[in-house]
Amino acid sequence: MGDQPGDGAEQPFVAVRDACKVYDDGPRPVTALHHVDLEVPRGRFVSVIGPSGCGKSTLLRLVAGLEQPGSGEVRICGETPARATERKMIGFVPQTPALLPWLDVLGNVRVLEKVNRAARRRSAAAAPPGEQGRCDLAGDPVALLRRLGLGDVLHRRPGQLSGGMQQRTAIARAFALQPQVLLMDEPFSALDEFTREAAQLQLLDVWQELRTTVVFVTHSITEAVLLSDTVVVMAAGPGRVAGTVQVGLDRPRHSGLLDSAVLHEHEHRVRELLSDAWRAEARSAS
Ligand code: ADP
């Protein structure tokens, strides 16, 4: 892959080790995660893909510190998720954007500006040498919104926006907070295919400059391959990691890749892992 971060980037920045999670509040216990490992080096974009119910959201919630694993551990840059949350290291973009309806687009991105300023100082101090300049775009809400294609709607309220615009506003707000790790839970799943493709390319454009460490949950194989350095494939029954695919596509990535043989090869490998896992699940259920 071209344009790789330096050697220091290879240390796991997000580490989930041997995590198990059983929900036993229903009629039967559900093993949402069974000995799951996940390692995300600093500055990498990692997608998690798998069928409904395989534990993707549970995994993301553990990393966000919204839930605790039954066993195993989660670390963000060596800190517990609770401590990382306290230090505003983690950003979260949910499936449905939670925008404040009485503020316009710019207001929604600026709403946490005081937190931003503190975050900016912290990020600048924590950034490895040579990466400090990357904070500039995230520190300029108008530039960030323009790069996400929202330059013409800065003063519209959420009720006056399409779903795609709302979701991109939520993404701009998350980047503006300058988190060390950005967790995204199927942010484009409600969008039509054309809008989704445009939003993916705008996200890639911003990410290319900021290089925030991202864990991205998706149902779309193409989306996972187009965006990611690594695709983690999960299987259900119990929720586990079925395999990983390293995406060897050069960056920056562009729309032309969507029709390329090399992208299709990667899609094929992800699809194979998904169907192997599905066959194994069907065998064990029968
Ligand atoms: P995914 O995001 O891959 O669709 P989830 O992480 O949402 O999967 O869920 C994994 C499994 O855990 C599913 O069987 C789901 O029904 C179950 N589950 C998730 N959250 C809870 C909860 N709070 N209580 C009980 N079961 C849950």
PDB file of all heavy atoms in Angstrom, residues 21-26 28 30-33 50-61 67 95 185-186 217 219 234 239, ligand 1:
ATOM      1  N   LYS A  21     -18.630 -11.467  25.644  1.00  0.00           N
ATOM      2  CA  LYS A  21     -19.782 -10.733  26.163  1.00  0.00           C
ATOM      3  C   LYS A  21     -21.022 -11.603  26.002  1.00  0.00           C
ATOM      4  O   LYS A  21     -21.368 -11.999  24.885  1.00  0.00           O
ATOM      5  CB  LYS A  21     -19.959  -9.425  25.379  1.00  0.00           C
ATOM      6  CG  LYS A  21     -21.166  -8.611  25.801  1.00  0.00           C
ATOM      7  CD  LYS A  21     -20.906  -7.871  27.076  1.00  0.00           C
ATOM      8  CE  LYS A  21     -22.127  -7.142  27.587  1.00  0.00           C
ATOM      9  NZ  LYS A  21     -21.895  -6.510  28.884  1.00  0.00           N
ATOM     10  N   VAL A  22     -21.634 -11.936  27.121  1.00  0.00           N
ATOM     11  CA  VAL A  22     -22.871 -12.729  27.088  1.00  0.00           C
ATOM     12  C   VAL A  22     -23.987 -11.869  27.668  1.00  0.00           C
ATOM     13  O   VAL A  22     -23.835 -11.281  28.742  1.00  0.00           O
ATOM     14  CB  VAL A  22     -22.711 -14.025  27.924  1.00  0.00           C
ATOM     15  CG1 VAL A  22     -24.026 -14.814  27.934  1.00  0.00           C
ATOM     16  CG2 VAL A  22     -21.574 -14.877  27.378  1.00  0.00           C
ATOM     17  N   TYR A  23     -25.097 -11.770  26.939  1.00  0.00           N
ATOM     18  CA  TYR A  23     -26.290 -11.101  27.473  1.00  0.00           C
ATOM     19  C   TYR A  23     -27.180 -12.189  28.059  1.00  0.00           C
ATOM     20  O   TYR A  23     -27.586 -13.103  27.338  1.00  0.00           O
ATOM     21  CB  TYR A  23     -27.039 -10.364  26.365  1.00  0.00           C
ATOM     22  CG  TYR A  23     -26.294  -9.185  25.796  1.00  0.00           C
ATOM     23  CD1 TYR A  23     -25.739  -9.239  24.527  1.00  0.00           C
ATOM     24  CD2 TYR A  23     -26.147  -8.016  26.534  1.00  0.00           C
ATOM     25  CE1 TYR A  23     -25.053  -8.147  23.994  1.00  0.00           C
ATOM     26  CE2 TYR A  23     -25.464  -6.915  26.012  1.00  0.00           C
ATOM     27  CZ  TYR A  23     -24.928  -6.996  24.749  1.00  0.00           C
ATOM     28  OH  TYR A  23     -24.253  -5.922  24.234  1.00  0.00           O
ATOM     29  N   ASP A  24     -27.470 -12.080  29.354  1.00  0.00           N
ATOM     30  CA  ASP A  24     -28.313 -13.134  29.937  1.00  0.00           C
ATOM     31  C   ASP A  24     -29.575 -12.543  30.567  1.00  0.00           C
ATOM     32  O   ASP A  24     -30.098 -13.071  31.539  1.00  0.00           O
ATOM     33  CB  ASP A  24     -27.521 -13.985  30.944  1.00  0.00           C
ATOM     34  CG  ASP A  24     -26.822 -13.135  31.975  1.00  0.00           C
ATOM     35  OD1 ASP A  24     -27.127 -11.919  32.023  1.00  0.00           O
ATOM     36  OD2 ASP A  24     -25.976 -13.667  32.711  1.00  0.00           O
ATOM     37  N   ASP A  25     -30.036 -11.432  29.967  1.00  0.00           N
ATOM     38  CA  ASP A  25     -31.245 -10.820  30.519  1.00  0.00           C
ATOM     39  C   ASP A  25     -32.509 -11.271  29.781  1.00  0.00           C
ATOM     40  O   ASP A  25     -33.612 -10.874  30.116  1.00  0.00           O
ATOM     41  CB  ASP A  25     -31.129  -9.284  30.492  1.00  0.00           C
ATOM     42  CG  ASP A  25     -30.701  -8.761  29.129  1.00  0.00           C
ATOM     43  OD1 ASP A  25     -30.341  -9.587  28.256  1.00  0.00           O
ATOM     44  OD2 ASP A  25     -30.731  -7.539  28.918  1.00  0.00           O
ATOM     45  N   GLY A  26     -32.378 -12.123  28.751  1.00  0.00           N
ATOM     46  CA  GLY A  26     -33.546 -12.598  28.001  1.00  0.00           C
ATOM     47  C   GLY A  26     -33.898 -14.027  28.399  1.00  0.00           C
ATOM     48  O   GLY A  26     -33.364 -14.546  29.376  1.00  0.00           O
ATOM     49  N   ARG A  28     -33.041 -16.731  26.904  1.00  0.00           N
ATOM     50  CA  ARG A  28     -31.834 -17.572  26.769  1.00  0.00           C
ATOM     51  C   ARG A  28     -30.611 -16.659  26.727  1.00  0.00           C
ATOM     52  O   ARG A  28     -30.693 -15.565  26.157  1.00  0.00           O
ATOM     53  CB  ARG A  28     -31.876 -18.343  25.440  1.00  0.00           C
ATOM     54  CG  ARG A  28     -32.828 -19.521  25.426  1.00  0.00           C
ATOM     55  CD  ARG A  28     -32.714 -20.299  24.109  1.00  0.00           C
ATOM     56  NE  ARG A  28     -32.942 -19.454  22.927  1.00  0.00           N
ATOM     57  CZ  ARG A  28     -32.104 -19.347  21.903  1.00  0.00           C
ATOM     58  NH1 ARG A  28     -30.964 -19.990  21.897  1.00  0.00           N
ATOM     59  NH2 ARG A  28     -32.390 -18.577  20.873  1.00  0.00           N
ATOM     60  N   VAL A  30     -27.359 -14.992  25.329  1.00  0.00           N
ATOM     61  CA  VAL A  30     -26.855 -14.795  23.959  1.00  0.00           C
ATOM     62  C   VAL A  30     -25.375 -14.442  24.045  1.00  0.00           C
ATOM     63  O   VAL A  30     -24.999 -13.479  24.720  1.00  0.00           O
ATOM     64  CB  VAL A  30     -27.598 -13.629  23.258  1.00  0.00           C
ATOM     65  CG1 VAL A  30     -27.013 -13.358  21.876  1.00  0.00           C
ATOM     66  CG2 VAL A  30     -29.089 -13.925  23.146  1.00  0.00           C
ATOM     67  N   THR A  31     -24.534 -15.249  23.378  1.00  0.00           N
ATOM     68  CA  THR A  31     -23.100 -14.930  23.338  1.00  0.00           C
ATOM     69  C   THR A  31     -22.864 -13.960  22.188  1.00  0.00           C
ATOM     70  O   THR A  31     -22.718 -14.354  21.030  1.00  0.00           O
ATOM     71  CB  THR A  31     -22.251 -16.208  23.155  1.00  0.00           C
ATOM     72  OG1 THR A  31     -22.593 -17.107  24.208  1.00  0.00           O
ATOM     73  CG2 THR A  31     -20.765 -15.901  23.222  1.00  0.00           C
ATOM     74  N   ALA A  32     -22.844 -12.668  22.517  1.00  0.00           N
ATOM     75  CA  ALA A  32     -22.684 -11.637  21.485  1.00  0.00           C
ATOM     76  C   ALA A  32     -21.249 -11.603  20.985  1.00  0.00           C
ATOM     77  O   ALA A  32     -21.001 -11.348  19.802  1.00  0.00           O
ATOM     78  CB  ALA A  32     -23.093 -10.276  22.030  1.00  0.00           C
ATOM     79  N   LEU A  33     -20.283 -11.839  21.884  1.00  0.00           N
ATOM     80  CA  LEU A  33     -18.872 -11.865  21.478  1.00  0.00           C
ATOM     81  C   LEU A  33     -18.180 -13.044  22.157  1.00  0.00           C
ATOM     82  O   LEU A  33     -18.302 -13.239  23.367  1.00  0.00           O
ATOM     83  CB  LEU A  33     -18.162 -10.568  21.890  1.00  0.00           C
ATOM     84  CG  LEU A  33     -18.651  -9.268  21.242  1.00  0.00           C
ATOM     85  CD1 LEU A  33     -17.916  -8.068  21.835  1.00  0.00           C
ATOM     86  CD2 LEU A  33     -18.487  -9.295  19.721  1.00  0.00           C
ATOM     87  N   GLY A  50     -20.139  -7.939   8.917  1.00  0.00           N
ATOM     88  CA  GLY A  50     -20.677  -9.263   9.259  1.00  0.00           C
ATOM     89  C   GLY A  50     -22.189  -9.202   9.259  1.00  0.00           C
ATOM     90  O   GLY A  50     -22.774  -8.117   9.230  1.00  0.00           O
ATOM     91  N   PRO A  51     -22.838 -10.378   9.314  1.00  0.00           N
ATOM     92  CA  PRO A  51     -24.304 -10.397   9.261  1.00  0.00           C
ATOM     93  C   PRO A  51     -24.920  -9.784  10.513  1.00  0.00           C
ATOM     94  O   PRO A  51     -24.242  -9.679  11.546  1.00  0.00           O
ATOM     95  CB  PRO A  51     -24.631 -11.893   9.179  1.00  0.00           C
ATOM     96  CG  PRO A  51     -23.425 -12.579   9.737  1.00  0.00           C
ATOM     97  CD  PRO A  51     -22.254 -11.717   9.436  1.00  0.00           C
ATOM     98  N   SER A  52     -26.188  -9.429  10.452  1.00  0.00           N
ATOM     99  CA  SER A  52     -26.887  -8.890  11.628  1.00  0.00           C
ATOM    100  C   SER A  52     -26.766  -9.879  12.783  1.00  0.00           C
ATOM    101  O   SER A  52     -26.878 -11.085  12.580  1.00  0.00           O
ATOM    102  CB  SER A  52     -28.368  -8.712  11.316  1.00  0.00           C
ATOM    103  OG  SER A  52     -28.516  -7.576  10.541  1.00  0.00           O
ATOM    104  N   GLY A  53     -26.519  -9.344  13.958  1.00  0.00           N
ATOM    105  CA  GLY A  53     -26.486 -10.187  15.151  1.00  0.00           C
ATOM    106  C   GLY A  53     -25.126 -10.811  15.439  1.00  0.00           C
ATOM    107  O   GLY A  53     -24.980 -11.591  16.385  1.00  0.00           O
ATOM    108  N   CYS A  54     -24.085 -10.472  14.639  1.00  0.00           N
ATOM    109  CA  CYS A  54     -22.773 -11.107  14.877  1.00  0.00           C
ATOM    110  C   CYS A  54     -21.955 -10.349  15.916  1.00  0.00           C
ATOM    111  O   CYS A  54     -20.839 -10.760  16.235  1.00  0.00           O
ATOM    112  CB  CYS A  54     -21.983 -11.242  13.574  1.00  0.00           C
ATOM    113  SG  CYS A  54     -21.400  -9.666  12.938  1.00  0.00           S
ATOM    114  N   GLY A  55     -22.482  -9.260  16.446  1.00  0.00           N
ATOM    115  CA  GLY A  55     -21.794  -8.585  17.549  1.00  0.00           C
ATOM    116  C   GLY A  55     -21.037  -7.326  17.169  1.00  0.00           C
ATOM    117  O   GLY A  55     -20.280  -6.787  17.991  1.00  0.00           O
ATOM    118  N   LYS A  56     -21.251  -6.802  15.964  1.00  0.00           N
ATOM    119  CA  LYS A  56     -20.503  -5.617  15.522  1.00  0.00           C
ATOM    120  C   LYS A  56     -20.751  -4.424  16.452  1.00  0.00           C
ATOM    121  O   LYS A  56     -19.817  -3.770  16.904  1.00  0.00           O
ATOM    122  CB  LYS A  56     -20.913  -5.222  14.084  1.00  0.00           C
ATOM    123  CG  LYS A  56     -20.713  -6.301  13.052  1.00  0.00           C
ATOM    124  CD  LYS A  56     -21.097  -5.834  11.659  1.00  0.00           C
ATOM    125  CE  LYS A  56     -22.560  -5.493  11.473  1.00  0.00           C
ATOM    126  NZ  LYS A  56     -23.497  -6.624  11.599  1.00  0.00           N
ATOM    127  N   SER A  57     -22.046  -4.160  16.711  1.00  0.00           N
ATOM    128  CA  SER A  57     -22.367  -2.991  17.546  1.00  0.00           C
ATOM    129  C   SER A  57     -21.906  -3.214  18.983  1.00  0.00           C
ATOM    130  O   SER A  57     -21.457  -2.279  19.647  1.00  0.00           O
ATOM    131  CB  SER A  57     -23.866  -2.709  17.529  1.00  0.00           C
ATOM    132  OG  SER A  57     -24.267  -2.466  16.220  1.00  0.00           O
ATOM    133  N   THR A  58     -22.010  -4.457  19.442  1.00  0.00           N
ATOM    134  CA  THR A  58     -21.541  -4.759  20.804  1.00  0.00           C
ATOM    135  C   THR A  58     -20.038  -4.455  20.900  1.00  0.00           C
ATOM    136  O   THR A  58     -19.581  -3.825  21.862  1.00  0.00           O
ATOM    137  CB  THR A  58     -21.814  -6.241  21.154  1.00  0.00           C
ATOM    138  OG1 THR A  58     -23.214  -6.476  21.013  1.00  0.00           O
ATOM    139  CG2 THR A  58     -21.370  -6.574  22.562  1.00  0.00           C
ATOM    140  N   LEU A  59     -19.298  -4.886  19.888  1.00  0.00           N
ATOM    141  CA  LEU A  59     -17.850  -4.641  19.876  1.00  0.00           C
ATOM    142  C   LEU A  59     -17.565  -3.139  19.919  1.00  0.00           C
ATOM    143  O   LEU A  59     -16.722  -2.662  20.698  1.00  0.00           O
ATOM    144  CB  LEU A  59     -17.246  -5.280  18.618  1.00  0.00           C
ATOM    145  CG  LEU A  59     -15.751  -5.121  18.409  1.00  0.00           C
ATOM    146  CD1 LEU A  59     -14.959  -5.738  19.563  1.00  0.00           C
ATOM    147  CD2 LEU A  59     -15.314  -5.775  17.090  1.00  0.00           C
ATOM    148  N   LEU A  60     -18.313  -2.385  19.111  1.00  0.00           N
ATOM    149  CA  LEU A  60     -18.111  -0.924  19.072  1.00  0.00           C
ATOM    150  C   LEU A  60     -18.465  -0.299  20.432  1.00  0.00           C
ATOM    151  O   LEU A  60     -17.763   0.595  20.913  1.00  0.00           O
ATOM    152  CB  LEU A  60     -18.990  -0.332  17.972  1.00  0.00           C
ATOM    153  CG  LEU A  60     -18.430   0.856  17.217  1.00  0.00           C
ATOM    154  CD1 LEU A  60     -17.113   0.525  16.551  1.00  0.00           C
ATOM    155  CD2 LEU A  60     -19.414   1.342  16.165  1.00  0.00           C
ATOM    156  N   ARG A  61     -19.528  -0.802  21.059  1.00  0.00           N
ATOM    157  CA  ARG A  61     -19.926  -0.264  22.373  1.00  0.00           C
ATOM    158  C   ARG A  61     -18.872  -0.573  23.437  1.00  0.00           C
ATOM    159  O   ARG A  61     -18.649   0.224  24.339  1.00  0.00           O
ATOM    160  CB  ARG A  61     -21.300  -0.807  22.784  1.00  0.00           C
ATOM    161  CG  ARG A  61     -22.460  -0.219  21.982  1.00  0.00           C
ATOM    162  CD  ARG A  61     -23.793  -0.408  22.694  1.00  0.00           C
ATOM    163  NE  ARG A  61     -24.140  -1.794  22.877  1.00  0.00           N
ATOM    164  CZ  ARG A  61     -24.823  -2.535  22.000  1.00  0.00           C
ATOM    165  NH1 ARG A  61     -25.240  -1.992  20.874  1.00  0.00           N
ATOM    166  NH2 ARG A  61     -25.101  -3.797  22.253  1.00  0.00           N
ATOM    167  N   GLU A  67     -20.327  -0.274  27.257  1.00  0.00           N
ATOM    168  CA  GLU A  67     -20.582  -1.554  27.924  1.00  0.00           C
ATOM    169  C   GLU A  67     -19.246  -2.159  28.314  1.00  0.00           C
ATOM    170  O   GLU A  67     -18.215  -1.821  27.747  1.00  0.00           O
ATOM    171  CB  GLU A  67     -21.290  -2.514  26.968  1.00  0.00           C
ATOM    172  CG  GLU A  67     -22.705  -2.117  26.674  1.00  0.00           C
ATOM    173  CD  GLU A  67     -23.446  -3.239  25.964  1.00  0.00           C
ATOM    174  OE1 GLU A  67     -23.323  -4.401  26.379  1.00  0.00           O
ATOM    175  OE2 GLU A  67     -24.140  -2.914  24.999  1.00  0.00           O
ATOM    176  N   GLN A  95     -25.775   5.493  13.866  1.00  0.00           N
ATOM    177  CA  GLN A  95     -26.504   5.271  12.604  1.00  0.00           C
ATOM    178  C   GLN A  95     -27.398   6.453  12.257  1.00  0.00           C
ATOM    179  O   GLN A  95     -27.537   6.825  11.102  1.00  0.00           O
ATOM    180  CB  GLN A  95     -27.369   4.028  12.730  1.00  0.00           C
ATOM    181  CG  GLN A  95     -26.611   2.767  12.438  1.00  0.00           C
ATOM    182  CD  GLN A  95     -27.458   1.517  12.611  1.00  0.00           C
ATOM    183  OE1 GLN A  95     -28.634   1.502  12.284  1.00  0.00           O
ATOM    184  NE2 GLN A  95     -26.845   0.485  13.137  1.00  0.00           N
ATOM    185  N   ASP A 185     -20.802   3.778  13.479  1.00  0.00           N
ATOM    186  CA  ASP A 185     -21.689   2.617  13.433  1.00  0.00           C
ATOM    187  C   ASP A 185     -22.644   2.741  12.242  1.00  0.00           C
ATOM    188  O   ASP A 185     -23.681   3.399  12.351  1.00  0.00           O
ATOM    189  CB  ASP A 185     -22.474   2.511  14.754  1.00  0.00           C
ATOM    190  CG  ASP A 185     -23.189   1.177  14.885  1.00  0.00           C
ATOM    191  OD1 ASP A 185     -23.071   0.342  13.966  1.00  0.00           O
ATOM    192  OD2 ASP A 185     -23.854   0.963  15.914  1.00  0.00           O
ATOM    193  N   GLU A 186     -22.269   2.142  11.142  1.00  0.00           N
ATOM    194  CA  GLU A 186     -23.071   2.179   9.904  1.00  0.00           C
ATOM    195  C   GLU A 186     -23.623   3.571   9.587  1.00  0.00           C
ATOM    196  O   GLU A 186     -24.837   3.751   9.440  1.00  0.00           O
ATOM    197  CB  GLU A 186     -24.237   1.196  10.022  1.00  0.00           C
ATOM    198  CG  GLU A 186     -23.781  -0.233  10.220  1.00  0.00           C
ATOM    199  CD  GLU A 186     -24.926  -1.215  10.090  1.00  0.00           C
ATOM    200  OE1 GLU A 186     -25.679  -1.080   9.110  1.00  0.00           O
ATOM    201  OE2 GLU A 186     -25.058  -2.075  10.954  1.00  0.00           O
ATOM    202  N   VAL A 217     -18.178   0.361  11.394  1.00  0.00           N
ATOM    203  CA  VAL A 217     -19.040  -0.811  11.223  1.00  0.00           C
ATOM    204  C   VAL A 217     -19.891  -0.621   9.978  1.00  0.00           C
ATOM    205  O   VAL A 217     -20.455   0.450   9.755  1.00  0.00           O
ATOM    206  CB  VAL A 217     -19.931  -1.005  12.468  1.00  0.00           C
ATOM    207  CG1 VAL A 217     -21.060  -1.988  12.190  1.00  0.00           C
ATOM    208  CG2 VAL A 217     -19.089  -1.487  13.643  1.00  0.00           C
ATOM    209  N   HIS A 219     -22.372  -2.888   6.698  1.00  0.00           N
ATOM    210  CA  HIS A 219     -22.922  -4.096   6.089  1.00  0.00           C
ATOM    211  C   HIS A 219     -22.468  -4.222   4.643  1.00  0.00           C
ATOM    212  O   HIS A 219     -22.770  -5.203   3.984  1.00  0.00           O
ATOM    213  CB  HIS A 219     -24.457  -4.009   6.071  1.00  0.00           C
ATOM    214  CG  HIS A 219     -25.101  -4.575   7.268  1.00  0.00           C
ATOM    215  ND1 HIS A 219     -25.821  -3.820   8.154  1.00  0.00           N
ATOM    216  CD2 HIS A 219     -25.124  -5.844   7.751  1.00  0.00           C
ATOM    217  CE1 HIS A 219     -26.267  -4.606   9.115  1.00  0.00           C
ATOM    218  NE2 HIS A 219     -25.858  -5.827   8.906  1.00  0.00           N
ATOM    219  N   MET A 234     -16.729 -10.588  10.665  1.00  0.00           N
ATOM    220  CA  MET A 234     -17.268 -11.286  11.843  1.00  0.00           C
ATOM    221  C   MET A 234     -18.333 -12.291  11.421  1.00  0.00           C
ATOM    222  O   MET A 234     -18.944 -12.178  10.363  1.00  0.00           O
ATOM    223  CB  MET A 234     -17.849 -10.285  12.841  1.00  0.00           C
ATOM    224  CG  MET A 234     -16.762  -9.464  13.527  1.00  0.00           C
ATOM    225  SD  MET A 234     -17.400  -8.455  14.882  1.00  0.00           S
ATOM    226  CE  MET A 234     -17.847  -9.702  16.101  1.00  0.00           C
ATOM    227  N   GLY A 239     -20.911 -14.673  18.221  1.00  0.00           N
ATOM    228  CA  GLY A 239     -20.226 -13.568  17.543  1.00  0.00           C
ATOM    229  C   GLY A 239     -18.716 -13.705  17.680  1.00  0.00           C
ATOM    230  O   GLY A 239     -18.194 -13.774  18.791  1.00  0.00           O
TER     231      GLY A 239
HETATM  232  P1  ADP B   1     -24.861  -6.563  15.141  1.00  0.00           P
HETATM  233  O1  ADP B   1     -24.461  -5.164  15.427  1.00  0.00           O
HETATM  234  O2  ADP B   1     -23.796  -7.341  14.434  1.00  0.00           O
HETATM  235  O3  ADP B   1     -26.171  -6.657  14.420  1.00  0.00           O
HETATM  236  P2  ADP B   1     -25.281  -6.734  17.986  1.00  0.00           P
HETATM  237  O4  ADP B   1     -23.990  -6.429  18.605  1.00  0.00           O
HETATM  238  O5  ADP B   1     -26.307  -5.649  17.955  1.00  0.00           O
HETATM  239  O6  ADP B   1     -25.049  -7.328  16.514  1.00  0.00           O
HETATM  240  O7  ADP B   1     -25.942  -7.984  18.735  1.00  0.00           O
HETATM  241  C1  ADP B   1     -25.270  -9.237  18.917  1.00  0.00           C
HETATM  242  C2  ADP B   1     -26.215 -10.195  19.630  1.00  0.00           C
HETATM  243  O8  ADP B   1     -26.409  -9.736  20.969  1.00  0.00           O
HETATM  244  C3  ADP B   1     -27.591 -10.285  18.987  1.00  0.00           C
HETATM  245  O9  ADP B   1     -28.073 -11.605  19.110  1.00  0.00           O
HETATM  246  C4  ADP B   1     -28.421  -9.312  19.822  1.00  0.00           C
HETATM  247  O10 ADP B   1     -29.781  -9.715  19.831  1.00  0.00           O
HETATM  248  C5  ADP B   1     -27.792  -9.489  21.186  1.00  0.00           C
HETATM  249  N1  ADP B   1     -27.877  -8.261  22.007  1.00  0.00           N
HETATM  250  C6  ADP B   1     -27.333  -7.058  21.694  1.00  0.00           C
HETATM  251  N2  ADP B   1     -27.566  -6.167  22.686  1.00  0.00           N
HETATM  252  C7  ADP B   1     -28.279  -6.821  23.628  1.00  0.00           C
HETATM  253  C8  ADP B   1     -28.819  -6.451  24.899  1.00  0.00           C
HETATM  254  N3  ADP B   1     -28.662  -5.223  25.396  1.00  0.00           N
HETATM  255  N4  ADP B   1     -29.499  -7.408  25.604  1.00  0.00           N
HETATM  256  C9  ADP B   1     -29.647  -8.657  25.120  1.00  0.00           C
HETATM  257  N5  ADP B   1     -29.147  -9.078  23.933  1.00  0.00           N
HETATM  258  C10 ADP B   1     -28.472  -8.172  23.189  1.00  0.00           C
END
